Amino acid sequence: MALGRKNNAAGYILILPALIMLAVFVIYPMFMNIVMSFRNYSLLRVGDQNIGLQNYQDLISDSRVWAAVSRTFVWTIANVIGALLIGMGSALLLFAGFKGSGIIKSMILIPWVLPSVITGYIWSLMLQEDAGIITYILKSLGIVAHDFSWFRTGPLSMSAAIMANMWRAFPFFSLMIFAKLSSVPQDYIEASELEGVSPWQRFRYVLFPFIKPTVTICTYLCFIWSFNAYDILKVMTNGGPAELTTTMSIMVQREAFQFYEISRASAMSIIMFFIMLAVLLLAKVLLAAKRRLSNGR
Amino acid sequence: MPRIVLEHVTKCFDKFVAVDDLNLVIEDRDFITLLGPSGCGKTTTLRMIAGLETPTKGRITIGDTVVFDSEEGIDISPAKRDIGFLFQNYALWPHMTVYDNIAFGLENLKWPKKKIEERVKEMMAMLKIEQFEKRFPSELSGGQQQRVAIARTLAPKPRVLFMDEPLSNLDAKLRLEMRSELKRLHVDTDSTFVYVTHDQLEAMALATKICLMNKAVLQQYDPPLVVYNKPVNLFVADFVGNPTMNFINATGERKGFNDVFVHMLGKDLVFHSSETIDGDVSDLVIGIRPEFVKLGEGNFNGVVYTTLPSGMETTVKVKHGEDMVTSVVFGSVDFSHSLDMPFSIVSDNIIMFEKASGKRIAIGSLS
Ligand SMILES: Nc1ncnc2c1ncn2[C@@H]1O[C@H](COP(=O)(O)OP(=O)(O)OP(=O)(O)O)[C@@H](O)[C@H]1O
Ligand SMILES: [Mg+2]
């Protein structure tokens, strides 16, 4: 027993550096974030005091905040659906196999491991209005007008950023779903072959039930990651034009590091957290209800 | 009516030959078992007929349709071969109820709703699984899942039903029970069954014909009792029967067309066959089923080595010089070890094998 206790102490000592780092760079800032949100701390003023829920009240009655919330939802939902569909489609293609699918399997993760700031810059360059390759091709094919720009209107800017983010996010789905598909027992696939089911039915009744849990988890993760996503939007549109692509994370960042209103930014980030939590809880409740319903038949 | 014909069917995995030049005719309404030791190519053969594996060479015909021909490039998809396949681990759809599992294949075949319902009900009654209609496969025991799998496979009325060791996941008692039900089902459904197993008792009990394979090559294709009584070579004789046949080395000398002088177990005997004995009789292996060794009296003098009672019958091993002779005695007996035990060999179904080739050259009696 004495030996066991000694080993435990050694264990704690070994994880201590990591714990300290975690405490200093994650736990303490998180705690301070909560504290700050109840004060009126600003880098432009000297001194700050406790103002209770004032920040929250201001933010909730600010229509700009609500506009950002709704844009965040547009951004998130478009990204989740897009990445999910492309990810699932590419996973099925890889699973069916084609010439060269082996190489693609090993390369498909590249967009995912690329730093998203770089992804943002690459896409900005490709979509740039004069020299961007994509815009150039669209213009020379006559699909868009000569003075076309991706970044002049809100919806187009948003679509450009969504495209870039989807490109970055889908490989994760592909790989996770592909891995799950590969673990579907061969017997099931052969049984469906013998029963002569159509490709769609094979997906719907044989493959999908197997990958469903993976898809669910991937959807949750993609939701969280997109909801928080910041770098690609920052690099490509910086929230513009005229705040039309300003999502909550862009707004929080601007409030804190451009306007130096630290407390307002803290409160905003906490609101963001609760919105995200609410959505996830709602999804969980709905899924549970659906399961109860389908079991109770 | 479906008659399955395999002509020169060969399957290679790279350089490895899994099935070598197999010729087989499965008659309509046969119950065929593919029997053989592990890795001999049974599963591969079955999967080739079903269309789940593509043969390297050969031609397969089901009924009037050529379903595979390597030379003409014919390869009909499994769904169009009108067959059922029972998988070893059942492959029931886990997210569908028992009812839906059975109905799914019929829906794919575009049966009208009413007919599907009738057929599913009929199958559930036949396999006694009505009470599980609304359950999911995970809520059933292995044997119940097995029944659902059979119901699902039989529902579209396939002309041929393939089974790959379908009972190997079940416990011994259930296995016996399902065995007799399968045999009953074969009669009731009027279809052809092809059944893979490496259990020779199962093969004996079920089959109308056994297809015994070893190392990718067909050894013997005959009804069970023929395989048992007239094995074509040493491998077949050794593989079929429990306890295994006694193999006794002997030397021989020709006495006439039908008779051979045999020296075995230290005695000079005459082997008599009703047919002409061909082949080299100088070096022989004499095969004697344990039930032909009568204990208690006779001109051989052995010593009891072990006694293995199993209730209904008792296996007794008797040592005779260098040779060990196994005998089966009806009922329970318990001989004490090292007891002197005379025995005789009484049968006209003694088998003579050529030692060098292992081939059977005669069946007859010893005196
Ligand atoms: N996909 C494959 N690739 C390479 N070799 C294979 C493949 N499938 C089977 N084999 C080989 O072919 C031989 C026959 O295999 P098969 O599955 O038909 O054996 P089996 O008689 O069914 O044996 P068991 O009783 O163990 O199931 C084996 O030696 C196996 O290693
Ligand atoms: Mg097998």
Side-chain angles (χ1 to χ4, degrees):
Chain A
M1 212 55 242
L3 196 76
R5 203 172 292 148
K6 212 153 132 198
N7 278 346
N8 270 347
Y12 283 122
I13 290 168
L14 285 171
I15 61 164
L16 196 63
L19 267 182
I20 291 175
M21 298 288 276
L22 207 67
V24 171
F25 292 106
V26 177
I27 298 172
Y28 174 72
M30 246 160 68
F31 173 73
M32 281 313 285
N33 195 35
I34 298 170
V35 172
M36 286 296 182
S37 72
F38 297 111
R39 305 181 72 82
N40 63 351
Y41 181 63
S42 160
L43 294 182
L44 300 177
R45 278 190 312 275
V46 181
D48 62 315
Q49 66 266 125
N50 203 335
I51 56 166
L53 290 172
Q54 187 65 45
N55 283 327
Y56 291 95
Q57 278 166 5
D58 288 351
L59 287 171
I60 285 170
S61 54
D62 187 345
S63 64
R64 277 177 58 227
V65 172
W66 288 111
V69 170
S70 64
R71 278 192 294 267
T72 308
F73 274 103
V74 170
W75 158 263
T76 308
I77 290 167
N79 269 313
V80 171
I81 292 176
L84 186 66
L85 288 183
I86 299 173
M88 193 137 67
S90 52
L92 286 168
L93 275 180
L94 285 177
F95 181 62
F98 50 88
K99 230 176 162 194
S101 59
I103 299 172
I104 293 186
K105 240 174 271 169
S106 50
M107 295 205 313
I108 199 164
L109 260 192
I110 290 177
W112 174 253
V113 294
L114 223 54
S116 39
V117 172
I118 305 224
T119 305
Y121 276 121
I122 293 174
W123 277 84
S124 296
L125 283 173
M126 291 197 299
L127 297 173
Q128 206 251 357
E129 65 176 289
D130 306 314
I133 177 87
I134 294 177
T135 323
Y136 174 78
I137 292 173
L138 290 178
K139 278 182 183 173
S140 40
L141 288 177
I143 295 172
V144 297
H146 277 298
D147 56 350
F148 177 82
S149 164
W150 284 97
F151 300 105
R152 212 167 289 146
T153 67
L156 275 177
S157 305
M158 188 63 112
S159 338
I162 287 172
M163 264 195 294
N165 197 51
M166 256 159 31
W167 182 80
R168 193 190 68 82
F170 91 87
F172 179 74
F173 282 68
S174 296
L175 228 60
M176 297 292 283
I177 295 173
F178 172 74
K180 191 71 194 174
L181 281 173
S182 310
S183 74
V184 176
Q186 196 60 27
D187 281 5
Y188 285 96
I189 293 164
E190 286 177 348
S192 73
E193 239 170 75
L194 281 163
E195 299 210 335
V197 306
S198 66
W200 162 248
Q201 275 179 315
R202 177 171 312 168
F203 172 72
R204 171 70 186 76
Y205 294 107
V206 182
L207 297 178
F208 189 70
F210 275 96
I211 60 173
K212 205 163 130 191
T214 310
V215 170
T216 311
I217 287 175
C218 281
T219 309
Y220 278 132
L221 284 175
C222 191
F223 171 79
I224 295 170
W225 290 334
S226 303
F227 201 91
N228 286 333
Y230 154 74
D231 1 24
I232 284 189
L233 272 171
K234 175 74 186 169
V235 170
M236 287 183 73
T237 68
N238 195 14
E243 258 195 20
L244 286 175
T245 59
T246 299
T247 59
M248 291 202 74
S249 46
I250 293 275
M251 200 174 230
V252 169
Q253 179 269 344
R254 188 180 297 150
E255 202 70 33
F257 302 111
Q258 243 165 298
F259 307 147
Y260 302 119
E261 292 290 347
I262 303 295
S263 283
R264 265 175 70 90
S266 294
M268 218 181 275
S269 71
I270 282 167
I271 290 177
M272 207 172 140
F273 169 76
F274 277 108
I275 292 177
M276 198 147 67
L277 195 67
V279 172
L280 290 177
L281 285 179
L282 187 71
K284 220 175 139 81
V285 169
L286 284 180
L287 279 183
K290 185 169 162 266
R291 202 166 307 137
R292 256 202 310 283
L293 227 79
S294 58
N295 279 357
R297 64 174 169 166
Chain B
M1 268 289 122
R3 177 169 185 258
I4 304 172
V5 183
L6 280 72
E7 295 162 82
H8 304 292
V9 172
T10 301
K11 174 75 189 179
C12 306
F13 293 106
D14 293 324
K15 289 246 168 64
F16 180 81
V17 184
V19 175
D20 193 8
D21 193 30
L22 180 62
N23 291 288
L24 201 65
V25 177
I26 299 171
E27 295 292 345
D28 184 30
R29 286 172 210 180
D30 263 356
F31 195 139
I32 301 296
T33 52
L34 295 173
L35 178 66
S38 189
C40 70
K42 308 178 295 282
T43 300
T44 309
T45 305
L46 196 69
R47 289 168 55 85
M48 285 193 294
I49 310 176
L52 298 171
E53 201 90 65
T54 317
T56 316
K57 258 202 333 258
R59 183 181 155 101
I60 301 173
T61 318
I62 300 180
D64 304 324
T65 333
V66 178
V67 293
F68 181 87
D69 192 320
S70 59
E71 264 152 42
E72 288 171 46
I74 300 172
D75 189 3
I76 294 179
S77 78
K80 299 217 176 75
R81 294 191 183 191
D82 202 1
I83 50 164
F85 200 108
L86 195 60
F87 291 89
Q88 185 173 347
N89 60 8
Y90 319 138
L92 293 173
W93 312 122
H95 52 282
M96 289 187 196
T97 59
V98 167
Y99 183 97
D100 292 337
N101 259 292
I102 302 172
F104 187 57
L106 303 178
E107 282 162 14
N108 287 319
L109 292 172
K110 310 260 176 338
W111 282 33
K113 251 210 148 58
K114 242 190 110 97
K115 267 187 76 187
I116 293 182
E117 203 177 315
E118 270 171 33
R119 182 66 178 160
V120 175
K121 291 258 144 68
E122 186 188 335
M123 291 315 300
M124 288 196 299
M126 188 185 225
L127 286 147
K128 306 187 192 75
I129 44 174
E130 293 112 318
Q131 67 269 41
F132 308 126
E133 183 178 341
K134 292 216 167 63
R135 293 226 210 145
F136 287 93
S138 57
E139 298 163 347
L140 299 175
S141 75
Q144 292 158 351
Q145 288 182 33
Q146 168 84 43
R147 283 159 204 268
V148 178
I150 295 175
R152 175 182 78 170
T153 318
L154 286 177
K157 302 188 179 158
R159 298 188 294 175
V160 193
L161 180 63
F162 294 110
M163 291 168 272
D164 191 354
E165 308 201 15
L167 306 185
S168 56
N169 285 357
L170 306 180
D171 66 57
K173 190 160 178 293
L174 203 54
R175 194 146 64 205
L176 280 178
E177 206 173 288
M178 287 308 297
R179 216 185 265 174
S180 58
E181 282 190 36
L182 275 179
K183 193 148 187 181
R184 181 76 226 155
L185 218 55
H186 173 239
V187 178
D188 288 349
T189 55
D190 242 1
S191 36
T192 309
F193 281 25
V194 184
Y195 186 100
V196 166
T197 180
H198 55 237
D199 179 344
Q200 49 108 5
L201 275 177
E202 202 162 283
M204 294 283 292
L206 288 173
T208 55
K209 258 177 142 182
I210 291 178
C211 168
L212 186 56
M213 298 174 73
N214 186 32
K215 294 188 183 142
V217 181
L218 175 66
Q219 304 290 323
Q220 187 164 6
Y221 180 48
D222 275 314
L225 288 178
V226 176
V227 173
Y228 187 80
N229 291 320
K230 299 178 178 170
V232 294
N233 58 29
L234 280 172
F235 170 80
V236 176
D238 187 33
F239 195 81
V240 176
N242 186 22
T244 47
M245 189 184 262
N246 292 297
F247 295 110
I248 296 161
N249 288 319
T251 52
E253 196 184 322
R254 212 169 258 289
K255 187 186 172 209
F257 287 120
N258 294 6
D259 298 276
V260 173
F261 287 117
V262 173
H263 182 82
M264 62 181 269
L265 297 173
K267 287 208 162 38
D268 288 310
L269 305 164
V270 175
F271 186 99
H272 174 77
S273 169
S274 54
E275 286 163 27
T276 312
I277 300 171
D278 294 325
D280 177 14
V281 296
S282 52
D283 267 322
L284 299 168
V285 175
I286 303 296
I288 304 157
R289 289 279 174 209
E291 58 267 35
F292 302 152
V293 178
K294 299 272 185 289
L295 297 181
E297 57 187 66
N299 36 8
F300 299 102
N301 291 308
V303 175
V304 174
Y305 185 74
T306 48
T307 310
L308 307 163
S310 72
M312 197 169 68
E313 57 186 27
T314 307
T315 305
V316 184
K317 289 191 179 228
V318 177
K319 206 163 163 66
H320 181 282
E322 288 296 294
D323 293 296
M324 188 74 78
V325 177
T326 309
S327 168
V328 177
V329 184
F330 194 75
S332 295
V333 287
D334 201 357
F335 297 118
S336 57
H337 289 188
S338 309
L339 185 73
D340 281 338
M341 180 59 70
F343 63 90
S344 57
I345 296 167
V346 188
S347 171
D348 54 4
N349 206 352
I350 311 284
I351 319 234
M352 180 186 280
F353 299 98
E354 211 176 62
K355 189 163 191 177
S357 65
K359 281 211 189 79
R360 181 191 80 208
I361 50 176
I363 299 175
S365 56
L366 278 172
S367 55

